[in-house]
Amino acid sequence: MNPIKSSSLLKNQDHIVLIGGGRWARVLLGVLCDIIPLHTKITVCSRYNTKEMSEWVDSCGFNQRVKVSQNYPLMKRNECVSVVVANAARDHGKAIKWALSNSLPTLVEKPVTLTSKATRDVADMAVRNNAYLAAAHVFTFATYMETFFQTISKSKIVHSISIKWTDPPSEQRYGESKRYDPSVTVFADWIPHIVSILDGIVPHSSARVAKLATFNGGAVVKVNIVAGDIPCEIELARNAENRERLIIIDTDRGVICM
């Protein structure tokens, strides 16, 4: 997350509600505490992890500005409030509907919901309630990705794109154990990241899936995508031996890797 971009958007917020109690919610909470003004209240809503989240908040010294609750807060009239949804994907829908029912601008971690119908339902609800609803695309704000995209933009022609994205069954991230949610498919879990990256490489291009195949019971997904007129080969794999993020771009200026 780019602190400069984010802090400018958040400086006028009176209250931020973060819904979630897992590892990623803690990562986001740490970032929020680092970039938002001290006067902005933060409420963390965690239905299942209230005690653990409270202990973590205390251990980090955030308890003076962060309130942890099992329930959603009551909204105050004329208070400027934003919501970040970062709980289990299966619970996103309920959290989003609560936020939109209060007409609150809402940012949702991927995937927005587990089905296209549920996502359409909350999108329609946002329109009805005149509320801003957005899906989080973290790589859009990663400065190292911005630098990579700028390097590629110097090329006149991109011939092809290859992305390999793999994770082991478990690993240590930000000092905590990370495990994937088996209820979320590999495609739903990682394609939002891939879309963000493709949009940075080939801005404003339409993309379509030309071919998709799954292996190892769905743990490995190979996708052929056409972004504009550029062929893209994508390999996504869980339960791999190592964590790997490999992007290979074949351009008129040669092969660019990250």
Side-chain angles (χ1 to χ4, degrees):
M1 183 176 290
N2 186 321
I4 296 175
K5 290 183 180 180
S6 302
S7 59
S8 62
L9 295 173
L10 295 170
K11 65 181 180 180
N12 295 321
Q13 296 296 299
D14 299 313
H15 189 180
I16 294 176
V17 180
L18 173 61
I19 301 174
R23 182 191 68 87
W24 190 242
R26 289 191 286 274
V27 171
L28 293 177
L29 180 57
V31 172
L32 286 171
C33 287
D34 189 45
I35 66 175
I36 65 174
L38 290 174
H39 67 76
T40 304
K41 298 185 299 182
I42 303 174
T43 298
V44 177
C45 303
S46 175
R47 182 176 179 183
Y48 305 108
N49 242 9
T50 311
K51 181 175 181 294
E52 291 82 357
M53 181 60 90
S54 295
E55 291 173 348
W56 185 84
V57 165
D58 289 343
S59 70
C60 294
F62 296 152
N63 51 331
Q64 295 299 313
R65 60 187 310 196
V66 177
K67 178 182 178 181
V68 180
S69 174
Q70 193 172 23
N71 303 309
Y72 298 135
L74 295 175
M75 294 297 99
K76 294 181 179 180
R77 192 179 182 87
N78 299 324
E79 188 177 46
C80 188
V81 184
S82 295
V83 177
V84 178
V85 177
N87 54 356
R90 62 182 176 274
D91 297 325
H92 279 189
K94 291 180 181 178
I96 296 169
K97 288 177 181 178
W98 169 80
L100 296 181
S101 68
N102 287 281
S103 298
L104 301 177
T106 305
L107 178 69
V108 187
E109 284 299 323
K110 52 83 180 171
V112 174
T113 71
L114 295 180
T115 69
S116 57
K117 180 183 183 304
T119 299
R120 284 195 299 270
D121 287 346
V122 295
D124 291 343
M125 185 177 180
V127 173
R128 289 195 306 272
N129 290 16
N130 193 29
Y132 186 80
L133 175 65
H137 288 266
V138 295
F139 286 108
T140 303
F141 301 96
T143 52
Y144 62 91
M145 291 301 299
E146 290 177 354
T147 301
F148 181 58
F149 297 151
Q150 288 170 8
T151 300
I152 297 168
S153 69
K154 296 175 184 177
S155 303
K156 294 182 179 179
I157 302 172
V158 174
H159 298 296
S160 66
I161 301 170
S162 175
I163 300 176
K164 186 176 183 180
W165 198 281
T166 70
D167 271 353
S170 64
E171 59 178 326
Q172 290 294 118
R173 298 289 293 166
Y174 302 100
E176 296 191 47
S177 178
K178 174 190 173 184
R179 290 180 173 82
Y180 65 83
D181 182 349
S183 69
V184 181
T185 65
V186 176
F187 193 84
D189 198 13
W190 289 345
I191 279 296
H193 289 329
I194 302 302
V195 169
S196 298
I197 293 168
L198 291 180
D199 189 57
I201 297 170
V202 193
H204 313 301
S205 65
S206 60
R208 62 180 178 86
V209 175
K211 183 180 179 181
L212 186 150
T214 61
F215 306 89
N216 297 345
V220 178
V221 177
K222 294 186 179 181
V223 193
N224 291 95
I225 294 175
V226 180
D229 59 355
I230 301 169
C232 312
E233 292 188 356
I234 317 295
E235 180 180 347
L236 315 172
R238 282 177 177 165
N239 299 327
E241 291 186 5
N242 301 300
R243 175 185 175 88
E244 189 171 6
R245 307 288 187 262
L246 178 62
I247 305 172
I248 302 174
I249 317 295
D250 184 11
T251 76
D252 61 307
R253 294 166 58 93
V255 176
I256 303 172
C257 298
M258 180 177 178

